[in-house]
Amino acid sequence: MASLQAETTFPGPGLAGAALPGAGLGGRTPEGLTAAAAKARNPSLRLLSKDLFVILAAIDLLLVSGSAFLGAIGYQWALAGQLRDIEIYILVSLGLAAATVVAMVLDGGYSVEQQGDEGKLTRKAFFSFNSAFSVLVCLLFLTHFTDFYSRGSLVTQYAAGCGGLLLGRAAAARLIEAAVRTGYLEAQRIGLIGTAQSIAAFRIKQPDRIAVRFTAFELPDWAVCPSGVADEDELRGIVANRISALRGAAVEEVVILLPEQARELVHHIVRGCTHLPVGLNLVLDQELFDPQTIEVRRFGWNSAVKLCRPPLSALDQVAKRVFDIVTALAGIVTLTPLMILVAVAIKLDTKGPVFFRQKRHGYNQRPFRITKFRTMNTLDDGPVIRQATLNDSRITKVGAILRRTNLDELPQLFDVLRGDMSLVGPRPHALAHDWEYESKIPAYARRHNIKPGLTGWAQIHGLRGETDTDDKMRARVEHDLYYIDHWSLLLDVRIILTTVFSSRAYRNAR
């Protein structure tokens, strides 16, 4: 029988935290491991989520109000050599700071797990401050404060307040990082329960964040599917041991990383964890669904996990269809002379038809024939189709130009009018490629939950052309599913504009 694996601690970048006691931990002595574990659990000052929330909010309140106030009176002193209406500037600066902190709270800018992602925190701080400042300007206007409130002071308050906030958040991030590294502050400790493979897969997808420390509590691989009564008895003992280890590690959150078929094992772990003062989290299969769309719903007295929303509501479908028809008609009227020139060039270049038609899967996997300008000297449409590659000998001279400029896709405007396609959506693949990748990528078939598009979210990110590895197709599918789960008309407009004007949309075109 496989032996119980030791716990392993995964700290943030450069964080030399000690692993918890267990076998095979880098050759360290039991005494050293015990001392290191005790130090990790009992630092000079323990940082909890609520502590970090209060500290960061207080820092932001002081920085924004102080910077905004100094900016306003500095402008007054430089302009007039004297200070007036000090009370008003104090009140406005405090209001701006309070509104900024409230916006940060609503946006999750003070949560522990966010603190290592400096770029994301900077964006949150910037947008929160701008939201608060916009509210402030509206209030000043509605209350007629703008009649006597210095506009120059308002501008300097914006610049000083925003600058102070961003610099303060950057400094706070450095201080938190240094404090965690030196042991004066303890990061949020999260326990991971699962097999070695599931824990490794989870860790790969986690950004390096100083304020979170993951500690692994591995289960043997056979635990997912025990084969007999003896296995089940041993497994109960292992689960009890893991619960005891979780209590000793003083974790604040537990993440269960087990597949759906191990429901009974999950049940045992959940029951055991209810005896601990921790938060419980169950990770679902993220290859099939975007984690941002997962939520809990109530159906009467029953609760259910909503994995994804319907692709498009009835109103969304009408709006998208109207947009497709209007834009496709405008495109056809505008581009007809160009399409005639392309057709003539194809006829003069090589013998054969102007258009290339091939079966593809559309909405709900209904087959249709896509229409493109012919760019090759072959018309493959069978069970085996070879993708175009760099310097492919099948591509004609005119075809190479058409493929690099995306002009070969223009006839699909008529497919959009017929309703087989949309202007924006997952690009349809040949049926042979659909059959191949449906067996390799679990979420692949979800691409057909909406109409295929002439362009898409994946294409404007350069994910087009030959998919000579499964990872390339997997990345394309991930972008397609993001589009499906986050669709809006504004997103369609953005994708179309990027397709036309951004060089990134032409990357890998061949």
Side-chain angles (χ1 to χ4, degrees):
M1 192 63 65
S3 60
L4 187 63
Q5 299 297 313
E7 303 92 352
T8 305
T9 296
F10 300 97
L15 186 60
L20 295 175
L25 296 178
R28 302 179 68 175
T29 63
E31 294 80 6
L33 286 171
T34 303
K39 181 180 179 181
R41 290 196 297 268
N42 300 286
S44 303
L45 176 65
R46 179 167 171 76
L47 176 67
L48 300 176
S49 302
K50 60 181 180 181
D51 302 325
L52 185 66
F53 176 95
V54 173
I55 292 170
L56 292 178
I59 290 174
D60 287 350
L61 189 66
L62 291 173
L63 283 174
V64 175
S65 60
S67 299
F69 176 69
L70 291 176
I73 64 173
Y75 174 81
Q76 288 291 327
W77 182 264
L79 185 68
Q82 59 180 340
L83 303 179
R84 295 182 302 175
D85 301 324
I86 299 298
E87 298 82 0
I88 294 177
Y89 290 120
I90 292 176
L91 180 62
V92 171
S93 298
L94 287 174
L96 175 60
T100 300
V101 170
V102 170
M104 286 288 288
V105 171
L106 295 177
D107 202 19
Y110 297 127
S111 59
V112 171
E113 57 271 17
Q114 296 276 355
Q115 298 312 307
D117 195 342
E118 189 172 342
K120 188 173 183 179
L121 280 176
T122 301
R123 291 191 295 272
K124 284 180 179 290
F126 179 77
F127 287 118
S128 295
F129 180 85
N130 278 272
S131 300
F133 189 80
S134 300
V135 172
L136 171 65
V137 172
C138 290
L139 288 175
L140 291 176
F141 177 79
L142 292 174
T143 56
H144 298 287
F145 259 66
T146 51
D147 295 343
F148 60 88
Y149 198 89
S150 170
R151 291 169 176 79
S153 295
L154 196 60
V155 171
T156 55
Q157 281 183 300
Y158 173 85
C162 187
L165 175 64
L166 298 181
L167 290 174
R169 294 317 301 270
R174 297 292 185 273
L175 288 174
I176 291 173
E177 178 180 347
V180 172
R181 283 178 175 169
T182 55
Y184 285 99
L185 297 176
E186 184 177 39
Q188 184 185 35
R189 191 178 285 266
I190 297 178
L192 307 178
I193 297 185
T195 62
Q197 183 178 4
S198 64
I199 290 173
F202 179 85
R203 284 293 297 135
I204 288 174
K205 296 181 179 180
Q206 301 303 310
D208 290 326
R209 289 175 179 170
I210 285 295
V212 174
R213 177 178 294 180
F214 294 104
T215 304
F217 300 84
E218 293 181 9
L219 298 173
D221 292 337
W222 58 265
V224 175
C225 187
S227 57
V229 176
D231 284 356
E232 292 179 356
D233 290 340
E234 183 175 356
L235 189 56
R236 279 193 289 271
I238 289 175
V239 170
N241 185 286
R242 296 298 85 196
I243 300 301
S244 177
L246 282 168
R247 178 178 286 109
V251 298
E252 299 170 45
E253 297 275 344
V254 174
V255 179
I256 302 173
L257 304 167
L258 292 170
E260 285 77 3
Q261 62 265 31
R263 177 171 293 187
E264 185 173 352
L265 176 58
V266 172
H267 178 71
H268 285 311
I269 293 174
V270 170
R271 287 195 63 182
C273 287
T274 56
H275 298 280
L276 304 177
V278 297
L280 279 178
N281 307 272
L282 178 63
V283 174
L284 301 175
D285 189 348
Q286 296 184 14
E287 245 192 307
L288 284 172
F289 305 101
D290 184 344
Q292 296 184 20
T293 65
I294 295 175
E295 61 183 67
V296 176
R297 288 199 61 188
R298 296 296 300 271
F299 294 93
W301 295 105
N302 297 315
S303 297
V305 177
K306 182 178 181 179
L307 300 177
C308 64
R309 68 172 190 176
L312 294 175
S313 67
L315 183 60
D316 292 339
Q317 292 179 36
V318 171
K320 188 171 177 62
R321 182 61 183 149
V322 170
F323 176 76
D324 285 343
I325 293 174
V326 172
T327 309
L329 281 173
I332 290 172
V333 172
T334 305
L335 299 173
T336 292
L338 176 59
M339 286 192 278
I340 293 174
L341 290 176
V342 170
V344 172
I346 293 173
K347 293 300 292 184
L348 293 176
D349 183 40
T350 56
K351 294 181 180 180
V354 170
F355 299 107
F356 166 62
R357 305 197 71 201
Q358 188 182 68
K359 279 187 178 180
R360 304 283 175 98
H361 276 142
Y363 173 69
N364 202 18
Q365 290 194 321
R366 295 170 185 165
F368 75 100
R369 286 194 175 273
I370 195 172
T371 307
K372 305 175 68 172
F373 281 124
R374 182 174 61 85
T375 59
M376 292 185 173
N377 51 33
T378 61
L379 300 171
D380 296 340
D381 191 16
V384 178
I385 296 177
R386 182 162 64 93
Q387 290 185 334
T389 58
L390 185 64
N391 300 320
D392 197 316
S393 60
R394 298 172 298 166
I395 299 176
T396 64
K397 293 180 180 179
V398 171
I401 298 173
L402 297 180
R403 296 173 79 94
R404 283 197 301 269
T405 57
N406 291 334
L407 293 178
D408 60 320
E409 313 286 0
L410 291 182
Q412 290 164 48
L413 291 171
F414 294 98
D415 295 332
V416 173
L417 279 184
R418 282 194 298 269
D420 292 330
M421 295 181 64
S422 177
L423 286 171
V424 181
R427 284 293 298 161
H429 299 148
L431 298 188
H433 300 152
D434 282 344
W435 297 328
E436 175 186 357
Y437 286 108
E438 280 180 9
S439 61
K440 295 181 178 179
I441 303 174
Y444 184 90
R446 281 195 66 211
R447 301 175 73 254
H448 304 127
N449 285 358
I450 63 174
K451 290 181 181 180
L454 195 151
T455 185
W457 185 245
Q459 282 62 48
I460 67 171
H461 286 85
L463 298 172
R464 54 175 302 175
E466 183 184 9
T467 52
D468 51 344
T469 66
D470 291 347
D471 287 339
K472 287 184 179 180
M473 180 60 77
R474 188 170 285 107
R476 186 181 297 185
V477 171
E478 287 175 357
H479 280 70
D480 290 337
L481 298 187
Y482 175 90
Y483 170 79
I484 292 173
D485 291 328
H486 299 84
W487 175 85
S488 70
L489 275 181
L490 286 178
L491 183 59
D492 276 6
V493 173
R494 174 185 172 185
I495 292 173
I496 292 172
L497 292 177
T498 304
T499 300
V500 176
F501 297 109
S502 174
S503 60
R504 186 169 54 177
Y506 299 86
R507 190 188 307 162
N508 299 324
R510 59 173 67 110

